[in-house]
Amino acid sequence: MYQACREARAAGTAIEKLCEAALEDSLTDRSAVVRAARCLLSSVTRVLLLADIVVVKQLLLAKDKVARSLGRLESVTNFTEFVKAFSQFGAEMVELAHLTGNRQNDMKDERRRAQMAAARQVLERSTMLLLTSSKACLRHPDSNSSRENRDTVFCQMRRAMDLIHYVVKDGVLDGGGGMDSGGDTEEDWDAGKTVVAAIRHYESTCEMTRLTLLTPATRETLSSSVDTIVERTQDFTDSAYTSHEHRENILLLCDRVRMELNQLLRVGVSLDQTDGYSPTREMESAVLSCLESTRELRAQLQVTAREQCADVDNLTRAGVDMVGTLRNTALSADQDRLDEAGDRFNEMVEHILEVCKLMRHMAPSETLQVSARYTEINLRIYGPQVVTAAHTLNQHPTSKIAKENLEVFAEMWQSLMTDVTTVCKDVMESTRQPEKQTYMSLPRPGKHGTTSKPLKSVRLDVEEQEKIAKAGLEMKLATSEMEAETDRWQEGVLGGPNVDENNDIVKRARNMSRMAFSMYQFTKGDGPLKTTQDLFTQAEYFAEEANRLYKVVRQFSYQVPIGSHKKELLEHLDRVPTYVQQLQFTVKNPTVGKAATFTKVDSVIHETKNLMSVISKVVTTCFVCATKYNLDFRGLSTRGSGGGSLRDDEGSGAGAGGEGGKLGGGAGSDPSI
């Protein structure tokens, strides 16, 4: 680290001297500044990487210290040794809590951050359990129930530390195990295996068939996705607490999802037989039917989950009464009554576990999924331990330590029930609201627009909507041509699945196609773009993506030998800047009032269609040149391409369309201004 910092300081001094020389006009080799800047960037990057490695090592060393302290605590045989070992354990736990808290705050990945929070919470809550269960075990060494309490706490704390290691090392396990005693694999730790996730994947694939049509791979993906949906709904239908009516409805809707998919597959087969390259009205209808069936299934699952959530408050109150009964029965030394009360309590725990499982399935975000998952795990581990602690007190009704141990486990139960209530509330509130999807082609929340005054929300007249819809249909045709061309490129040139990773031309062309498709959806009154401001912003990023594609193709054109093909490519390519500038001018032109806004919407759609058409011709010509001259276009990039005068803001919404084309089935009626 010290050596890396010295190198970074030296690199900074070098570039400072070069810049001073440049100001004095005594710098003869300006490329030296570039080399010095690269050297500075490299050295600073090395410092940052080393700093992260140091932080990770510090955290893992602290975790290993706590693990060794746990081992010492587990092996002590008298109170004196225990007090000494627990004192050291407490100090090391404080250090670990501090380091993991800092790491959690620095994490960008939502799932990792939630997993770290879950692990830290287990360690924090389990510390008091560890103290009382160890004391009870030392005081009553002949009690199997007290030993079970203590061993369970030790085991759960070790699982929490395994999870910390897993999160800090970003997916590397430390000796196996995890916070789930059910023997979950590494994949289970990370995968969001929920019904909602499966439905989203299926719907996204259905939407994309409008562009890709039904290839053999797509058919297989769709069939597999439906099987996954049906499999994951079994947690709803197999639950003993799901009503007969809801169970029947879920099964019927699953059958309907499969039936609608079969219809879509039949339409796809008929399109293949006619060599059709564009979606037909029949296929559009089949796609919409598939999406409608999954929407109804999701709604039914939400109703089922909400019905079980309604029982949580009653279960919480019943749990308080049952814990009191367990305490009183244990103090009375009535073993039979305690067994009966314990059975009722465990049945209630099973009911709550079923609720947590459904909450995880319905959770729309990774944070809520992880919260529901680990709430379920902690409840499954620690819930039955309340009964176990009661058995210890039943065996030693006059023991203050046994009574204290039961009280601490009862407090843990109350904390877990609070977690269950919070998760249910958060998940149910999120299902009542439409899902907030982030489209990479749209701006982040903030102030955007072509005027300082916000536009009022009004409806387009039918005549205006029809006019714009006609232009939108023409743009959709251009979009279909683009998709067909990029598919042809993929099959004819590379013939592999990773074309988007290696071919910047195809990748950016697809981005533009997806953005244009979302603009077409706007003309029909659905899709991710809900207002004219969304449309204008999408058009702006569409133009920026055209800038980048222009530069990449310009770089590619240098490989094309002089001849008719290169001439044709450059003729089409030279038209791109003009159309880009026209679209950008139209988007930035301020408007006030409904009539002016309608005119602007119409113009933006037409300008986008024109730009899309010329881009389609550019891509087609690139394909011809690549196949005729066997050119290698992998590794092309907008960075350093030096193509023309067009702007290259690589960071400003560039991923446009990566998600921007995420084809959500908008349910709107008319486009809103």
Side-chain angles (χ1 to χ4, degrees), residues 134-195:
S134 296
K135 286 166 61 179
C137 194
L138 288 171
R139 178 59 60 86
H140 308 291
D142 58 335
S143 172
N144 292 329
S145 56
S146 65
R147 184 170 297 278
E148 181 185 340
N149 273 158
R150 192 199 68 159
D151 291 347
T152 299
V153 176
F154 273 111
C155 189
Q156 187 70 344
M157 293 185 77
R158 287 195 173 101
R159 291 188 186 111
M161 287 190 292
D162 284 343
L163 181 57
I164 288 174
H165 182 105
Y166 179 80
V167 172
V168 170
K169 298 288 284 184
D170 198 21
V172 178
L173 288 171
D174 182 23
M179 284 179 63
D180 187 354
S181 64
D184 279 357
T185 64
E186 176 182 348
E187 181 185 3
D188 293 324
W189 279 28
D190 264 344
K193 294 185 175 181
T194 66
V195 169

Side-chain angles (χ1 to χ4, degrees), residues 72-98:
R72 285 193 294 271
L73 277 171
E74 195 171 17
S75 62
V76 296
T77 56
N78 60 67
F79 275 101
T80 303
E81 292 178 7
F82 174 78
V83 170
K84 183 179 178 180
F86 193 84
S87 176
Q88 182 179 354
F89 166 77
E92 291 167 353
M93 273 293 297
V94 170
E95 181 187 3
L96 180 62
H98 176 71

Side-chain angles (χ1 to χ4, degrees), residues 9 67 123 132 178 206 405 407 432 445 455 503 544 636 652 663:
R9 179 179 293 177
L123 290 177
T132 58
C206 282
N405 186 50
E407 293 299 331
R432 290 190 184 97
L455 296 173
N503 185 350
E544 289 179 1
L636 291 175
S652 62
L663 308 176

Side-chain angles (χ1 to χ4, degrees), residues 591-639:
T591 56
V592 178
K594 179 182 176 183
T597 305
F598 162 71
T599 302
K600 180 175 177 178
V601 170
D602 191 37
S603 299
V604 165
I605 295 294
H606 275 94
E607 295 294 347
T608 304
K609 179 198 69 174
N610 293 337
L611 179 54
M612 192 72 188
S613 297
V614 72
I615 289 293
S616 180
K617 292 176 182 177
V618 167
V619 172
T620 300
T621 313
C622 283
F623 172 78
V624 172
C625 293
T627 52
K628 181 176 179 63
Y629 300 110
N630 193 26
L631 299 178
D632 185 10
F633 41 70
R634 281 172 286 188
L636 291 175
S637 171
T638 55
R639 295 182 180 89

Side-chain angles (χ1 to χ4, degrees), residues 96-145:
L96 180 62
H98 176 71
L99 292 173
T100 52
N102 290 340
R103 190 67 178 178
Q104 178 185 331
N105 293 333
D106 292 339
M107 286 178 173
K108 306 301 181 187
D109 186 276
E110 181 183 356
R111 178 171 289 273
R112 292 280 183 259
R113 192 165 57 248
Q115 287 173 333
M116 179 67 86
R120 294 181 71 236
Q121 185 185 68
V122 167
L123 290 177
E124 178 185 346
R125 289 179 174 177
S126 298
T127 301
M128 185 55 69
L129 294 178
L130 181 64
L131 175 62
T132 58
S133 62
S134 296
K135 286 166 61 179
C137 194
L138 288 171
R139 178 59 60 86
H140 308 291
D142 58 335
S143 172
N144 292 329
S145 56

Side-chain angles (χ1 to χ4, degrees), residues 385-412:
Q385 293 306 308
V386 178
V387 178
T388 304
H391 280 290
T392 302
L393 181 59
N394 184 64
Q395 295 165 8
H396 307 278
T398 60
S399 171
K400 291 183 179 180
I401 289 180
K403 186 176 181 181
E404 179 189 12
N405 186 50
L406 175 57
E407 293 299 331
V408 172
F409 274 96
E411 289 174 7
M412 169 63 89

Side-chain angles (χ1 to χ4, degrees), residues 32 48 54 71 80 88 102 137 212 225 232 246 302 309 318 354-355 376 389 430 441 452 529 597 629 633 661 668:
L48 294 174
V54 168
T80 303
Q88 182 179 354
N102 290 340
C137 194
T212 62
S225 297
R232 293 181 187 174
H246 288 168
Q302 289 174 357
C309 263
E354 290 291 326
V355 176
E376 176 190 349
S430 65
S441 55
S452 59
L529 309 181
T597 305
Y629 300 110
F633 41 70

